[in-house]
Amino acid sequence: MSPATALPLPHRPVRTATRASVALPPSALDAMLDATYETHRRFRHGAFAEPCPTCHVPAGELCLTRRSVHAARRLAHRVRVAPTKPFPHAAAEAC
């Protein structure tokens, strides 16, 4: 059996990844954000699963402000999904 030589992995600092995202033109970032919001709206993920108490749009619709989700809508989603009981495994291990 021949010994395999280990090749060193290239080391890229975190700053390089950050600079790469900044290198995108603003129009590309806007398109990415629009696509993300559209996907969340379409499948009612996250805050889009709740109706907005600020602009009164139903669940699954974008808020009336462009490129923004109202804070009240995000808070309503966090309150709804907040755990009220301990995780079942934690309760079983405590016994």
Side-chain angles (χ1 to χ4, degrees):
M1 188 180 286
S2 65
T5 57
L7 298 175
L9 294 174
H11 176 68
R12 290 178 45 180
V14 175
R15 287 180 283 133
T16 305
T18 305
R19 273 188 261 134
S21 65
V22 174
L24 292 173
S27 59
L29 293 175
D30 288 346
M32 288 171 29
L33 186 60
D34 286 344
T36 301
Y37 274 1
E38 179 60 25
T39 302
H40 278 82
R41 181 203 65 80
R42 185 176 180 193
F43 296 104
R44 295 183 181 206
H45 287 263
F48 292 105
E50 304 293 327
C52 183
T54 305
C55 59
H56 306 290
V57 295
E61 294 296 321
L62 294 170
C63 285
L64 298 178
T65 59
R66 181 163 164 74
R67 289 184 180 37
S68 179
V69 177
H70 289 117
R73 191 176 198 176
R74 281 190 238 110
L75 180 63
H77 174 67
R78 287 186 195 123
V79 167
R80 185 177 67 85
V81 297
T84 55
K85 296 180 182 177
F87 191 71
H89 294 300
E93 291 173 3
C95 293

